[in-house]
């Protein structure tokens, strides 16, 4: 049950039961070890307080006392700055810029294809092929470090791991030459933080 905004004294996240973008925020919160109220939303029947808080009635929506955020990237960057330990972005400006650009590529090139696949229709098969082919083409990037382009877990992993978790359920089968992506996923999925980031429905996406 959602809390009245005036009585809310802790961080509150509105998210869907199965959503790659909401999962990204939940993974960021898990990586930070932050306690929060989690309100699962049926987007066909959103709660009244979400309608009041967010003009788009969209998820994820984050509420921190009087602050309301409803853009996934903005939420994740806010959480990284609001709770600085452990940091999820590099300290030096050059590395931060490179990782931010990688996140933009993940959003624009891959997460948009996830949305197309989940929407169904004629475009879904083409999006499925495009996602598979582009992941295979970039498989080398998953070998560069223990995490994605970084020796430590970062906001890029928070964006990427929920996508990799969903590949089977999206009908995207990776070939042998993309083994580095599968290995990357297994490293992430074994962590307690990733397990905490999953809803019941998301746990059922993989055997």
């Amino acid at each position: 049950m959602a809390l009245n905004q005036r009585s809310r004294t802790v961080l509150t996240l509105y998210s869907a039961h199965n959503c790659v973008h909401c999962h990204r925020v939940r993974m960021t919160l898990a990586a930070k070890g932050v306690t929060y109220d989690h309100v699962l939303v049926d987007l066909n029947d959103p709660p009244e307080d979400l309608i009041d808080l967010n003009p788009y009635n969209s998820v994820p929506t984050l509420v921190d006392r009087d602050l309301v955020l409803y853009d996934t990237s903005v939420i994740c960057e806010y959480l990284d700055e609001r709770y600085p330990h452990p940091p999820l972005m590099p300290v030096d400006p050059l590395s931060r810029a490179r990782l931010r650009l990688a996140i933009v590529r993940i959003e624009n090139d891959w997460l948009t294809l996830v949305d197309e696949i989940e929407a169904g229709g004629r475009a879904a098969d083409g999006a499925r092929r495009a996602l598979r082919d582009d992941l295979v083409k970039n498989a080398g990037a998953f070998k560069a470090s223990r995490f994605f382009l970084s020796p430590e877990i970062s906001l890029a992993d928070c964006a990427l791991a929920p996508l990799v978790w969903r590949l089977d359920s999206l009908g995207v089968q990776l070939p042998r030459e993309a083994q580095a992506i599968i290995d990357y996923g297994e490293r992430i999925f074994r962590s307690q933080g990733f397990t905490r980031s999953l809803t019941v429905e998301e746990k059922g996406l993989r055997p």
Side-chain angles (χ1 to χ4, degrees), residues 47-145:
E48 287 186 10
D49 51 347
L50 178 62
I51 296 172
D52 292 338
L53 291 165
N54 179 347
Y56 302 104
N57 299 340
S58 61
V59 291
T61 294
L62 184 81
V63 183
D64 189 2
R65 298 182 187 274
D66 294 331
L67 176 68
V68 181
L69 301 174
Y70 38 80
D71 175 87
T72 307
S73 292
V74 172
I75 292 172
C76 292
E77 289 206 10
Y78 170 75
L79 290 171
D80 191 41
E81 294 173 359
R82 173 77 168 79
Y83 305 96
H85 301 290
L88 296 179
M89 290 293 282
V91 174
D92 67 284
L94 181 62
S95 296
R96 287 175 72 89
R98 285 175 172 164
L99 204 57
R100 276 199 175 109
L101 191 60
I103 294 169
V104 169
R105 292 290 304 274
I106 292 168
E107 292 171 340
N108 293 344
D109 297 353
W110 296 342
L111 294 182
T112 54
L113 293 173
V114 172
D115 292 336
E116 287 185 38
I117 294 167
E118 291 182 338
R122 294 181 179 179
D125 285 341
R128 200 172 279 113
R129 287 192 298 271
L131 179 57
R132 175 189 179 276
D133 292 347
D134 207 39
L135 284 170
V136 170
K137 184 174 70 174
N138 289 279
F142 291 81
K143 299 183 198 177
S145 297

Side-chain angles (χ1 to χ4, degrees), residues 177-205:
E177 57 264 36
Q179 184 63 40
I181 300 174
I182 298 169
D183 294 343
Y184 162 84
E186 292 305 322
R187 287 195 299 275
I188 298 281
F189 303 156
R190 285 193 294 265
S191 72
Q192 291 182 353
F194 186 84
T195 301
R196 288 196 303 271
S197 74
L198 294 164
T199 63
V200 172
E201 290 77 11
E202 288 166 342
K203 288 177 181 177
L205 295 177

